[in-house]
Amino acid sequence: MSTHEAATQSAPNNHADSGQQTLRQQILQAFHFRHACKTFDPARKISSEDFATIIEAGRLSPSSFGFEPWQFLLIQNPQLRAQLSENSWGGKRQFASASHVLIGMVRCAPGVRHDSDYIRHMMTEVQQLPAEVVSAKGGFFRTFQEQDFNLLESERSLTDWATHQTYLPLANMMTVAALLGIDSCPIEGFVQNVWEQQLQELTGIDNTLFKPVWALALGYRLTEPGEKTRRPLGDVLHRFD
Ligand SMILES: Cc1cc2nc3c(=O)[nH]c(=O)nc-3n(C[C@H](O)[C@H](O)[C@H](O)COP(=O)(O)O)c2cc1C
């Protein structure tokens, strides 16, 4: 094989390798770019196309058994944001300046019990499973909740299990935002039971069905963040080869 032939034959792989290398760099750049942005440029708004991409990443996020125990509220009304801000020590500057504010709501117990109407709705109407699969999957799910994870010992454990899952769309939306050059701040700095009441009064959401677990402010930074601090990889990853 001539040098020319060898070069031509290896070209696709080189392309693929360099494409992969570029992608890796873009991904890690996005993770370095993302930081907990405290104050956003109030003059800069996220385009509807970018926002649609971010929320789609949230919608497509994985959940246990595919049951999506969440809802997202988009809070754009300034008065609403100001009222919520009164009971949020961790989000005041973010709510006042962000282009978009989302609140992650968990579907709580008993709405996520194996025998709830919602779980049946998910299996039959959303996942469109045939009756025999609904029965089998429902059986696995019951064992999972009753025994494997012991989730039915209290409403709190069941709601906590569902709550954990809501952090997956949160993380995915922050990563997608960062890939699009959009800043974000995840926020748990609020008084949860006061927000529960307020959100019911202000938005009509039934707080026996859904509770707020996080807020996500999105927009564009005003100033550059400080240096990122993280533990070294050796402290985080333990290998067993
Ligand atoms: C679940 C969660 C809740 C957080 N709550 C707040 C908050 O209420 N207010 C805030 O300014 N930052 C909040 N943060 C941001 C963290 O303080 C920040 O991510 C952490 O210090 C690491 O810094 P970095 O994100 O800039 O790399 C929260 C982060 C997470 C993951």
Side-chain angles (χ1 to χ4, degrees):
M1 189 188 292
S2 72
T3 318
H4 173 73
E5 276 170 340
T8 332
Q9 285 200 353
S10 62
N13 265 342
N14 283 344
H15 274 305
D17 285 350
S18 76
Q20 195 71 355
Q21 178 63 13
T22 310
L23 184 57
R24 288 189 202 110
Q25 281 169 356
Q26 284 170 345
I27 290 167
L28 291 183
Q29 271 165 13
F31 276 86
H32 283 281
F33 169 87
R34 192 215 55 78
H35 69 291
C37 183
K38 310 294 179 193
T39 310
F40 297 88
D41 181 347
R44 291 189 68 191
K45 301 294 171 206
I46 298 171
S47 74
S48 54
E49 292 83 358
D50 280 349
F51 184 72
T53 305
I54 293 168
I55 202 73
E56 192 63 352
R59 190 179 74 89
L60 293 173
S61 294
S63 55
S64 182
F65 288 80
F67 289 151
E68 306 172 42
W70 53 62
Q71 249 185 34
F72 312 124
L73 308 180
L74 175 60
I75 310 287
Q76 297 303 76
N77 179 305
Q79 273 111 41
L80 251 169
R81 282 198 199 174
Q83 280 169 289
L84 292 168
S85 193
E86 284 167 20
N87 299 297
S88 169
W89 49 267
K92 289 194 191 305
R93 284 180 288 160
Q94 296 91 328
F95 298 145
S97 60
S99 164
H100 288 60
V101 170
L102 287 166
I103 297 181
M105 306 290 291
V106 65
R107 185 181 286 272
C108 34
V112 286
R113 266 184 68 103
H114 60 86
D115 50 3
S116 65
D117 289 346
Y118 174 70
I119 296 299
R120 177 152 290 276
H121 159 73
M122 283 303 298
M123 288 195 284
T124 54
E125 279 145 72
V126 178
Q127 298 175 346
Q128 303 204 339
L129 303 173
E132 67 277 14
V133 181
V134 168
S135 167
K137 183 168 175 168
F140 281 125
F141 189 48
R142 179 183 179 158
T143 306
F144 170 76
Q145 288 199 331
E146 272 182 356
Q147 294 168 33
D148 301 342
F149 266 55
N150 193 22
L151 297 175
L152 302 185
E153 60 174 357
S154 72
E155 290 212 333
R156 178 69 195 244
S157 22
L158 194 55
T159 300
D160 283 350
W161 163 77
T163 299
H164 300 151
Q165 298 172 53
T166 71
Y167 288 82
L168 297 169
L170 172 67
N172 285 338
M173 289 192 279
M174 289 193 287
T175 300
V176 168
L179 284 163
L180 294 168
I182 293 168
D183 290 299
S184 61
C185 187
I187 295 159
E188 275 180 334
F190 55 83
V191 189
Q192 194 180 34
N193 58 5
V194 178
W195 265 32
E196 258 173 65
Q197 285 303 322
Q198 273 194 309
L199 285 168
Q200 176 154 291
E201 284 156 27
L202 299 171
T203 69
I205 194 149
D206 182 345
N207 68 16
T208 63
L209 299 181
F210 289 98
K211 293 188 193 310
V213 287
W214 48 255
L216 174 62
L218 294 156
Y220 295 92
R221 67 188 69 184
L222 263 184
T223 55
E224 286 307 310
E227 196 70 9
K228 215 179 246 315
T229 62
R230 288 295 188 274
R231 289 179 295 152
L233 186 61
D235 288 0
V236 176
L237 175 69
H238 302 278
R239 294 184 61 128
F240 301 92
D241 291 330

